[in-house]
Amino acid sequence: QQWPAVIERSRAFIAARKESPRLVEAYDALLAASQATPGIPAPAVRTTIDARIALRPDPMSYALGANLLLARRADLPHVEQLADLGKTVGERFIRENESSYKLDGKVQASLDRNAATFADIAGWALFLEGDVTGAEARLAEAARLFRNNDINNQLHLAELSTRKGDRSVAEEHYLDALSLNSTPEQRARAEAALFKLRASTGDSFAA
């Protein structure tokens, strides 16, 4: 897909049709383009995020917006606000649709995953800000709620442990990450990080 063309069309649509019911789609296209185009500066990304959330404040928009800013290591206090608000919005959405969950325990599982998602986002923002203690608390909360089954959370915990100098714990998290379902990009990231960790201690790589 030609992302510059997507950006141009979306911005033109937004400028010309401010009352259109398809405005959310145009902002979603801009967010997708921002995800695929790391060169888009953080201030422009935040403007898109805030406009999208103002139109339709759903959990996805908070999570995607926060992750786009995290990828740029930018506006981290705002990321923490998005995580806090996103958790609340997600909980409300689940409660409002509680009758659609057919299986016992499904509601609680959804609440846990929602809370875990935003705890991990907040924890990683704190880590990038240098607050290791705060990051550890939020990332551990996410791990508990995810039941250690989320690859991004395991990678975050591994980097936290490396920062703390707990290399054996970091290696465990990388190995846990490699045992989970992942995209090729996530697996390559975990393997490269584990290789770097083991190389720093003189160990060989054998996941």
Side-chain angles (χ1 to χ4, degrees):
Q1 191 163 172
Q2 300 299 313
W3 292 112
V6 171
I7 293 168
E8 183 178 352
R9 287 197 303 270
S10 298
R11 286 176 175 168
F13 184 92
I14 290 166
R17 306 181 67 176
K18 295 186 182 298
E19 303 302 321
S20 171
R22 297 184 61 191
L23 209 54
V24 168
E25 295 176 32
Y27 277 110
D28 284 344
L30 271 183
L31 290 176
S34 299
Q35 194 170 25
T37 314
I40 297 177
V45 173
R46 174 166 174 178
T47 297
T48 303
I49 292 165
D50 291 347
R52 169 62 174 81
I53 288 173
L55 280 171
R56 185 185 295 166
D58 51 47
M60 182 280 292
S61 60
Y62 285 97
L64 177 57
N67 281 315
L68 287 172
L69 292 174
L70 284 175
R72 289 162 172 79
R73 302 191 173 215
D75 220 339
L76 298 175
H78 189 54
V79 171
E80 293 171 47
Q81 292 175 6
L82 290 174
D84 185 50
L85 292 169
K87 178 176 181 287
T88 300
V89 168
E91 286 177 353
R92 184 165 61 246
F93 177 83
I94 293 165
R95 291 300 186 190
E96 287 174 352
N97 294 277
E98 193 166 340
S99 60
S100 67
Y101 294 91
K102 305 296 184 184
L103 301 176
D104 290 343
K106 190 74 172 178
V107 170
Q108 188 58 53
S110 296
L111 288 169
D112 286 350
R113 184 156 194 87
N114 176 70
T117 296
F118 290 107
D120 186 70
I121 286 170
W124 193 238
L126 289 166
F127 177 84
L128 294 177
E129 288 179 308
D131 183 354
V132 173
T133 301
E136 184 170 22
R138 297 311 306 275
L139 292 175
E141 175 190 352
R144 176 179 59 80
L145 292 167
F146 276 133
R147 294 173 176 79
N148 295 316
N149 282 325
D150 183 83
I151 185 169
N152 286 321
N153 178 243
Q154 289 301 311
L155 292 173
H156 290 161
L157 286 166
E159 292 197 41
L160 173 72
S161 297
T162 301
R163 173 77 62 85
K164 292 173 59 184
D166 296 335
R167 293 177 181 271
S168 62
V169 175
E171 181 170 341
E172 288 177 14
H173 285 303
Y174 283 129
L175 291 172
D176 286 343
L178 288 168
S179 73
L180 298 172
N181 291 331
S182 62
T183 64
E185 180 183 3
Q186 288 171 323
R187 185 168 186 84
R189 178 183 162 198
E191 288 178 344
L194 181 57
F195 182 90
K196 182 179 178 181
L197 178 70
R198 288 178 168 176
S200 70
T201 60
D203 293 332
S204 61
F205 177 76

